[in-house]
Amino acid sequence: MKIAIIGNGNVGSGLANVLSKTQHQVGTFGRADDVANAVNEADIVILATPYGAAAELAEQADFTGKIVIDVSNPVTEDFSALQLGTTTSAAEAIAALVPGAFVVKAFNTIFAQHYAGDLKLDGQPLQTFVAADDETARDTVKTLAAEAGFEPVDAGPLSTARQLEPLGFLNIQFGYVLGKGTEIAPRWQFSA
């Protein structure tokens, strides 16, 4: 598959590093690049930009038929709160902006610093929670995550992003505000 990562900051560059170790073709693009062409040629588009950039990106390209992975957490500029939550999510808002796309929420609970390592904490793979309304798109992203070294966890429909984004925000609070650092990640334990 061809994967276009829109956003070449820490998260976008980190994901490019991790995903380039799979058999897929990965490219990163800044918001000033030819986003329309990048999206047109991609099978999967990863939005590794702040949530507020989504509306502008939706106007720059045709996302119809693409799997669009939203990795954002809609935090306020001062990181003190979420802009949305409980009744909707950034992922659902993005889905409304790109109605012909298959929007998937994933990778939003992982600090960018993990992408330079082996994607493990205490020997266990980092989990990424994958939510989407389209089951095929969800399965595709789960497979991609597993190929990259994550433990994908099926999180059900896209509306689950209403819980995943606060989980990402909580991770940010633990990491930065409460001083736990970035070598942390949420993990869900399931009994056998």
Side-chain angles (χ1 to χ4, degrees):
M1 292 183 294
K2 289 186 176 181
I3 302 170
I5 301 174
I6 310 300
N8 49 16
N10 291 339
V11 172
S13 298
L15 276 170
N17 176 55
V18 167
L19 296 174
S20 67
K21 296 173 185 171
T22 68
Q23 77 272 15
H24 306 294
Q25 183 179 344
V26 180
T28 57
F29 305 89
R31 286 161 60 185
D33 292 331
D34 187 354
V35 172
N37 189 53
V39 170
N40 184 53
E41 293 185 6
D43 301 298
I44 295 178
V45 179
I46 299 176
L47 299 182
T49 59
Y51 163 65
E56 176 189 332
L57 291 172
E59 292 177 0
Q60 291 180 0
D62 181 6
F63 290 85
T64 302
K66 308 296 180 182
I67 293 176
V68 176
I69 303 174
D70 168 38
V71 304
S72 72
N73 288 306
V75 295
T76 57
E77 277 191 41
D78 66 357
F79 287 82
S80 66
L82 289 171
Q83 296 176 38
L84 315 161
T86 68
T87 59
T88 191
S89 65
E92 290 169 288
I94 290 169
L97 293 170
V98 291
F102 304 102
V103 176
V104 179
K105 187 73 180 188
F107 308 115
N108 72 302
T109 60
I110 300 162
F111 283 119
Q113 291 83 343
H114 286 292
Y115 298 135
D118 63 0
L119 299 179
K120 292 182 180 178
L121 278 176
D122 295 329
Q124 295 188 6
L126 295 174
Q127 290 180 332
T128 185
F129 307 98
V130 183
D133 289 336
D134 185 88
E135 191 171 333
T136 301
R138 189 180 333 130
D139 287 344
T140 299
V141 174
K142 285 170 34 189
T143 299
L144 176 65
E147 289 172 355
F150 295 97
E151 179 186 332
V153 177
D154 191 320
L158 193 62
S159 60
T160 306
R162 297 174 191 181
Q163 289 79 45
L164 295 178
E165 291 169 6
L167 181 60
F169 178 65
L170 180 62
N171 196 44
I172 292 167
Q173 294 300 301
F174 279 139
Y176 292 114
V177 178
L178 299 174
K180 304 291 184 191
T182 57
E183 287 299 310
I184 62 171
R187 178 170 191 79
W188 222 263
Q189 293 295 111
F190 300 95
S191 62

